[in-house]
Amino acid sequence: TENKSSKMTHWHLALAKAGCTTEFRNSLIVSLSDDLNTIRQRIRKSYKPFINKGLRTFHYEIYDEVNYDLMPWNDFKNLHLNVSGRKTRSELTWKIQKEMVKNASGVLICLYDKVTEVLTGAAFFQFTEKNVIYASAAYNRSYFNKPVGHVVQWLAIDYFKKRGLQSYIIGEVTFPEHLPKSSEKLREISFFKEGFTDAVYPRFVLTYNFNDK
């Protein structure tokens, strides 16, 4: 069947003809145009008590262009390194994302243990005038049995709703067609994110490999 939302535009075609590889993916979307109560009602039922418990358990801070100077960026980087067990990103990408917060196109949300004040989780989001994406995150493994991720997602939804954005791209859905390439971990992450979303939209991803030229 024809789906105009997945129709390739002229620039898609031009980039594909220029040598970009084209990949079809499915984005998980949270509509921020609805009121906050409606958005909350659509969240997976089992998640709601986790969100409430997490808000009571953790202290949080949201860093944007207003309080940029107070942002614990190095703590976020160190947590990411400790969780990953290795350096997975260049210093340039970290610098670019930090500058995005300063320039009002990025936000960092941090959760802290109320008792120990330990950084339990941090997530970075990139946004435009209308849309926001869940870009990167790190969560302290000692708190994996706590609803850290649930709270971060709800705080992000609430923040960007108040900021006037229209949609939150939380990630990608993993379908059986992706197997066996998708790991069990990716399937679990996909299932978790689906619990916050109300729609799945197809999109084209074009990649240009300069190393091949």
Side-chain angles (χ1 to χ4, degrees), residues 49-112:
F50 289 147
I51 294 172
N52 294 334
K53 180 181 179 180
L55 290 172
R56 295 192 302 267
T57 303
F58 301 109
H59 164 71
Y60 70 87
E61 295 288 348
I62 300 178
Y63 300 94
D64 55 20
E65 71 277 10
V66 176
N67 58 351
Y68 165 84
D69 292 337
L70 301 176
M71 185 173 59
W73 193 252
N74 287 333
D75 292 343
F76 174 38
K77 287 175 59 179
N78 291 334
L79 179 60
H80 194 280
L81 176 61
N82 292 335
V83 172
S84 302
R86 59 188 178 87
K87 188 174 181 180
T88 61
R89 294 171 46 192
S90 68
E91 286 299 319
L92 178 59
T93 61
W94 283 107
K95 181 179 179 180
I96 290 173
Q97 289 188 333
K98 183 179 181 181
E99 286 300 306
M100 291 179 75
V101 179
K102 183 178 181 180
N103 297 324
S105 58
V107 163
L108 180 70
I109 297 179
C110 295
L111 289 191
Y112 299 89

Side-chain angles (χ1 to χ4, degrees), residues 35-44 47-49 51-52 55 154 157:
D35 64 84
L36 199 60
N37 287 332
T38 300
I39 296 174
R40 186 179 176 88
Q41 288 173 4
R42 289 197 295 254
I43 293 176
R44 188 174 291 148
Y47 285 8
K48 295 171 185 177
I51 294 172
N52 294 334
L55 290 172
W154 175 249
I157 291 170

Side-chain angles (χ1 to χ4, degrees), residues 93-154:
T93 61
W94 283 107
K95 181 179 179 180
I96 290 173
Q97 289 188 333
K98 183 179 181 181
E99 286 300 306
M100 291 179 75
V101 179
K102 183 178 181 180
N103 297 324
S105 58
V107 163
L108 180 70
I109 297 179
C110 295
L111 289 191
Y112 299 89
D113 186 305
K114 282 188 176 181
V115 177
T116 64
E117 298 185 357
V118 169
L119 180 63
T120 59
F124 175 75
F125 303 82
Q126 299 174 200
F127 64 95
T128 62
E129 292 183 359
K130 296 182 179 180
N131 306 310
V132 53
I133 64 170
Y134 182 37
S136 64
Y139 300 105
N140 192 317
R141 295 186 183 278
S142 301
Y143 293 83
F144 270 14
N145 62 333
K146 305 291 184 181
V148 180
H150 299 78
V151 177
V152 167
Q153 294 304 329
W154 175 249

